[in-house]
Amino acid sequence: MKVLLVGSGSMSKEYAKVLKHLKIDFHVVGNTVAGCQNFEKELSLPVTSGGLESFLNKKYLEQYSHAINTVNVEYLKETTINLVKKGIKNILIEKPGSVHLSELDEISNIAEEEKSDIYIAYNRRFYSSVEKMKDVIHKDGGILSAHCEFTEWIHNIDPDNYPSDIVNKWVIANSSHVLDTMFFLIGEPKILNPMILGESKVLWHPTGSIFIGSGISHNNIPFSYHSNWLSAGRWGIEILTKNNRLILKPMEKLQIQRKGSIKIEDVLIDNEMDTKFKPGIFNQVSHFLNANYSNLCSINDQKMRIKDVYNKIAGYN
């Protein structure tokens, strides 16, 4: 097994820490000299600068078995296609893969031709809190209903730091972390009733700033969501079973409200790897490298989500 880690930014560093801990043979390729030098200084690991295309077109022709692509969203398509064309068969790319369905179609078509498997890195699926929640759900006999909030702190977001087409689709680019986790737990929506308000109240996100909706998943679980970017709030998920209300708010922490009680209690979870590394990353990488793909989001799953769910929730074309 040999892994190519693409990118030298903050997320690449988090993946490198896990790969190093797992004693995986891996190489890092970044773009700018300054970014690569910063990576080397912080992690004491060698990095090749100059970008992926330059790296692949020179003498580095080894057949990597896996690649992890952590570059900025606007460059994910180009770098992923480069990896596929060089014969890498197992690729994990940072969420959301792309905010454009057409780009995901382009990636998946080439991947199908080259017989490469591509997965989108939604690390919150792999939080220790989510794993523990799944255990409680199983013991309780399943989920009765669900709710999530994906309010964004727009006062902390500088739109000048991102291309306009990325911030214009911020629900896909960022909020999808929460929505993905809820639908991962309850199943894909078969009925979705979205309401979008606050049009043009956030200049860089003109389709809306208040998102309210409900529906039923293919597992016949009713769900609702509420997100108001003009007010206070935070990300969170609530799952209701016959005995408990399970709360991820913050999502790294699991709380429980038992039937017949108003008390909300913390649930003890084994989160050693979520404290040692960025939450969810260790478990996600382990699943990816061990070909345990059942909990990963495939590129085809993501295409369906954007077309049938995220675009409708956010009012995108």
Side-chain angles (χ1 to χ4, degrees), residues 73 76 93-98 120-124 172-177 302:
V73 177
L76 280 171
I93 63 178
E94 266 302 298
K95 61 83 185 169
S98 175
I120 313 297
Y122 279 107
N123 59 300
R124 280 163 180 78
I172 299 173
N174 201 54
S175 310
S176 61
H177 259 309
Q302 184 72 335

Side-chain angles (χ1 to χ4, degrees), residues 60-73:
Y60 305 97
L61 300 177
E62 302 99 327
Q63 177 63 57
Y64 290 89
S65 61
H66 296 71
I68 300 175
N69 189 356
T70 72
V71 302
N72 291 343
V73 177

Side-chain angles (χ1 to χ4, degrees), residues 47-85:
V47 185
T48 300
S49 63
L52 178 65
E53 188 169 358
S54 173
F55 175 83
L56 293 175
N57 287 337
K58 290 182 180 177
K59 60 182 179 180
Y60 305 97
L61 300 177
E62 302 99 327
Q63 177 63 57
Y64 290 89
S65 61
H66 296 71
I68 300 175
N69 189 356
T70 72
V71 302
N72 291 343
V73 177
E74 61 268 31
Y75 304 118
L76 280 171
K77 185 200 82 168
E78 178 186 352
T79 53
T80 301
I81 288 174
N82 262 332
L83 293 167
V84 171
K85 287 183 174 179

Side-chain angles (χ1 to χ4, degrees), residues 227-295:
S227 179
N228 188 336
W229 297 7
L230 305 178
S231 187
R234 69 182 305 171
W235 288 0
I237 294 174
E238 297 188 10
I239 297 292
L240 285 83
T241 67
K242 66 180 181 181
N243 295 315
N244 301 294
R245 178 186 294 265
L246 303 167
I247 304 165
L248 298 171
K249 201 172 187 178
M251 292 180 67
E252 296 86 352
K253 179 180 180 180
L254 179 60
Q255 295 179 301
I256 191 168
Q257 181 183 9
R258 304 182 193 281
K259 190 174 181 178
S261 172
I262 61 171
K263 184 179 180 182
I264 296 176
E265 308 169 55
D266 290 341
V267 176
L268 184 64
I269 57 177
D270 180 5
N271 64 348
E272 179 185 359
M273 291 305 176
D274 280 358
T275 54
K276 188 169 185 177
F277 305 102
K278 185 177 176 68
I281 297 295
F282 180 87
N283 200 8
Q284 178 179 255
V285 170
S286 297
H287 276 68
F288 174 60
L289 296 182
N290 289 309
N292 185 0
Y293 301 135
S294 59
N295 288 343

Side-chain angles (χ1 to χ4, degrees), residues 96 98-102 104-105 169 172 188-189 192 194 299-317:
S98 175
V99 297
H100 303 294
L101 190 58
S102 60
L104 291 176
D105 277 334
K169 294 191 173 183
I172 299 173
E188 302 301 323
L192 178 61
I299 192 167
N300 287 327
D301 292 339
Q302 184 72 335
K303 286 166 54 179
M304 180 274 300
R305 279 278 185 83
I306 288 177
K307 178 177 179 290
D308 297 335
V309 183
Y310 301 149
N311 281 351
K312 292 179 180 179
I313 286 174
Y316 303 146
N317 294 325

Side-chain angles (χ1 to χ4, degrees), residues 150-163:
F150 56 92
T151 292
E152 296 283 351
W153 290 4
I154 61 170
H155 58 282
N156 284 343
I157 300 170
D158 183 353
D160 293 335
N161 290 337
Y162 306 91

Side-chain angles (χ1 to χ4, degrees), residues 123-147:
N123 59 300
R124 280 163 180 78
R125 293 185 177 203
F126 298 92
Y127 276 10
S128 301
S129 55
V130 173
E131 289 293 316
K132 182 64 176 179
M133 175 184 267
K134 288 163 61 180
D135 289 341
V136 178
I137 289 168
H138 178 72
K139 291 175 183 175
D140 270 2
I143 300 172
L144 297 181
S145 63
H147 174 78

